[in-house]
Amino acid sequence: HVPGVELIAEARLHAAQDPYLADHALDGETLWPGVLGLEAMAQLAGALLASAAAPAFEDVRWLRPVVVPPAGETIRIAALVRAPDTVELVLRCAGTGYAVDHFRAGCRFGAPAAAPPGPVPAAAPAASMIAADALYADGLLFQRGRFRRVLGYERLEARRCRAHLGAGADEAAWFGRFLPATLGLGDPGLRDAALHALQACIPHRRL
């Protein structure tokens, strides 16, 4: 740690202290959710710049999945200040010898707030919605438990969709009892659903 310049940190991922991992497995492999990678990057960037604010992300790249074997996996995140308000981050893991970039992103603090969204159209009647249950059941949407938040689709096309997302169970803890429960970016399950809802647009190819 070089204050205001660079910070490198490691964390151990394991089912016992990261219970959400059981809800994010594909083809027999447990995958660390990309939204938790962003959470970790935001926390590290905030620690480096001594900021408690949520950053704006830029140039986010999920280059290679982080596979978590039953014995667990160690991740390493390096953060480097590129400008007074901007941090560049890269995430690597022990499974690839810390030699491969799995996630990359930039965090910018103090960015202007996004313009508020325009009027939201009235929701379609429930009877006209495409239910998401079948998409989860047949594995197109592989997420379970905390991440299973897509309720249905009001609109579903090859290049766009309008999905309805639901809140998760309040009692579902994200981390083990001896770990901090703070999430600087909010609900990871809801953020993940906002991304994986897009999978239904291209069922022939895995996002």
Side-chain angles (χ1 to χ4, degrees):
H1 180 202
V2 180
V5 178
E6 181 181 25
L7 178 59
I8 300 174
E10 291 186 354
R12 184 72 177 166
L13 303 175
H14 193 278
Q17 62 187 20
D18 298 284
Y20 60 83
L21 289 171
D23 297 334
H24 206 262
L26 174 64
D27 296 333
E29 290 188 319
T30 299
L31 306 179
W32 193 45
V35 291
L36 270 299
L38 294 183
E39 175 69 37
M41 287 179 162
Q43 291 190 18
L44 196 69
L48 179 54
L49 292 185
S51 174
F57 281 92
E58 300 174 337
D59 196 23
V60 175
R61 302 184 187 189
W62 287 300
L63 302 168
R64 181 173 180 154
V66 175
V67 179
V68 182
E73 176 63 292
T74 300
I75 57 169
R76 178 184 295 166
I77 307 175
L80 181 66
V81 174
R82 289 298 189 187
D85 61 350
T86 303
V87 179
E88 181 181 350
L89 301 109
V90 62
L91 186 147
R92 299 179 176 182
C93 70
T96 49
Y98 303 112
V100 177
D101 293 351
H102 287 254
F103 305 162
R104 296 190 68 94
C107 282
R108 186 158 53 94
F109 292 83
V120 178
S128 65
M129 286 182 54
I130 303 170
D133 290 347
L135 302 181
Y136 284 112
D138 68 12
L140 177 64
L141 304 181
F142 66 86
Q143 293 80 4
R144 297 289 181 263
R146 298 164 182 78
F147 299 99
R148 185 171 172 167
R149 304 289 189 86
V150 181
L151 304 177
Y153 292 87
E154 190 176 318
R155 180 176 184 176
L156 183 57
E157 301 173 7
R159 292 185 177 273
R160 68 186 69 186
C161 67
R162 179 179 292 156
H164 288 239
L165 310 180
D170 293 337
E171 67 273 9
W174 286 94
F175 306 108
R177 59 184 298 188
F178 299 111
L179 295 177
T182 304
L183 290 164
L185 301 181
D187 185 348
L190 203 57
R191 290 177 176 271
D192 191 88
L195 294 171
H196 77 244
L198 303 174
Q199 180 67 75
C201 295
I202 51 170
H204 58 286
R205 184 175 181 181
R206 174 65 66 190
L207 284 174

